[in-house]
Amino acid sequence: KGVWHRHRELTSHVVGLFRLFGVLLPHVSAMAIGIRGISTVFLTVLTLVSAISAFIFGILFDQYLEQLSANFRGELKSNKLPCIRSTLDDCSNDNTDKCWVYCCPEQSQYFCFRSPVVGLYCQDSSTGCGDPNWCRDLADVPQTCATEICQTHEMVKRTTMFAYIVAGVGVFIDVVDIITIRTAPSEVVCKYAVNIASSLVKWVAFGIVLGAGTPEFLSDLEAARCFNGDGMQLLKDARAMFVSFTIVQVLSAVLSMVLAPCSAYWGGKLGARQVPDVK
């Protein structure tokens, strides 16, 4: 009796969760849903939650990358400072070939230097670059993005934005899957196709960031040590967001694939003895 009572309580909680999402049909009782229905509810909710989490991690990773690039030129916008950056616009290489006191941001520890490769640039006297040449190419002082490092950086930023947009599409498809449970529980082909589409879209988002060489770029960026202490901490946070995005995105993609055969057989029917009316 104790086991049966706990089963009824667990079932009631799951049914209440799905009613919160507006998914479960009003006439489906806690006793009628069964173990299969509980498993379907759990997997469906976990799939949606993981997809939303991946979408959020992708947005945060993109924002952290933008913050790392914010102080490469113009006035200082934060305390995440690169060891090498461009001079201010009034002292650009197009306007002058000599260093002046106004070439670098005021009230900072940047000093102007002249390089035969990139011309005038600002270097932080309090932060030494681990790899000055790598950091110089990353900063893109002449603003031509002619080096491989700069081009990889730009590609990583573009593909990251595209990846979290694709991840957002996966979230939308998962919402459609939940709506299908309520509106068309007998449409097994439709629900199966929705789960397969959701999984494929999530794999695409995962493949985008890997194909752009994001893991290798982040490793090289950390090894080059192109930022001060606050900037390096932001870089570590960015790597954590990237790892979280990839792990949760893969988890959500696998869960969508696991739901596909269940949808192909039962559709959106949650009852223990309910089988879709397939014509």
Side-chain angles (χ1 to χ4, degrees):
K1 293 183 178 179
V3 174
W4 181 250
H5 179 69
R6 286 194 295 270
H7 169 70
R8 292 184 61 182
E9 286 185 345
L10 177 61
T11 306
S12 299
H13 290 321
V14 174
V15 172
L17 179 61
F18 245 66
R19 280 177 178 165
L20 180 63
F21 280 91
V23 172
L24 195 58
L25 293 175
H27 66 271
V28 178
S29 64
M31 295 303 299
I33 187 172
I35 297 299
R36 176 179 59 79
I38 293 175
S39 302
T40 302
V41 169
F42 176 76
L43 288 176
T44 302
V45 172
L46 184 59
T47 301
L48 178 60
V49 171
S50 59
I52 294 174
S53 300
F55 177 66
I56 295 174
F57 287 141
I59 292 178
L60 291 176
F61 177 56
D62 180 69
Q63 291 179 350
Y64 288 170
L65 288 180
E66 291 297 329
Q67 292 178 32
L68 285 172
S69 305
N71 290 316
F72 279 144
R73 53 186 55 90
E75 296 293 341
L76 298 181
K77 303 174 182 64
S78 68
N79 58 349
K80 284 77 173 176
L81 305 178
C83 61
I84 293 178
R85 51 157 288 153
S86 299
T87 56
L88 297 175
D89 293 339
D90 293 337
C91 196
S92 65
N93 288 303
D94 295 334
N95 297 331
T96 182
D97 60 352
K98 294 182 179 181
C99 285
W100 302 93
V101 293
Y102 58 83
C103 286
C104 298
E106 297 181 358
Q107 299 180 350
S108 70
Q109 300 190 47
Y110 282 105
F111 291 92
C112 179
F113 291 90
R114 187 169 64 177
S115 165
V117 179
V118 297
L120 303 182
Y121 68 94
C122 295
Q123 184 163 351
D124 189 353
S125 60
S126 64
T127 303
C129 300
D131 188 339
N133 292 335
W134 202 98
C135 297
R136 179 199 64 201
D137 292 344
L138 176 70
D140 187 30
V141 174
Q143 301 183 35
T144 58
C145 203
T147 63
E148 181 180 355
I149 295 172
C150 177
Q151 292 170 2
T152 302
H153 182 212
E154 291 298 318
M155 180 173 63
V156 167
K157 291 197 297 184
R158 288 194 303 269
T159 54
T160 297
M161 182 180 64
F162 187 51
Y164 79 72
I165 291 175
V166 175
V169 175
V171 174
F172 173 77
I173 297 176
D174 286 341
V175 173
V176 172
D177 180 45
I178 291 179
I179 295 174
T180 303
I181 295 176
R182 179 183 179 90
T183 59
S186 294
E187 297 296 332
V188 293
V189 176
C190 176
K191 195 171 185 308
Y192 169 80
V194 168
N195 292 142
I196 292 295
S198 177
S199 181
L200 292 177
V201 166
K202 294 167 186 174
W203 283 117
V204 169
F206 171 72
I208 288 173
V209 292
L210 287 189
T214 304
E216 294 81 5
F217 174 78
L218 292 176
S219 297
D220 293 342
L221 181 57
E222 186 171 8
R225 300 193 61 83
C226 298
F227 299 92
N228 64 355
D230 293 331
M232 293 304 297
Q233 182 59 50
L234 180 63
L235 175 58
K236 292 180 180 179
D237 294 341
R239 291 195 67 175
M241 290 300 103
F242 172 74
V243 172
S244 299
F245 170 79
T246 55
I247 292 176
V248 179
Q249 189 72 356
V250 168
L251 172 63
S252 188
V254 171
L255 289 174
S256 293
M257 190 65 69
V258 170
L259 281 172
C262 299
S263 298
Y265 187 78
W266 290 292
K269 294 294 183 71
L270 300 177
R273 298 182 179 179
Q274 289 180 312
V275 178
D277 300 323
V278 182
K279 297 181 181 180

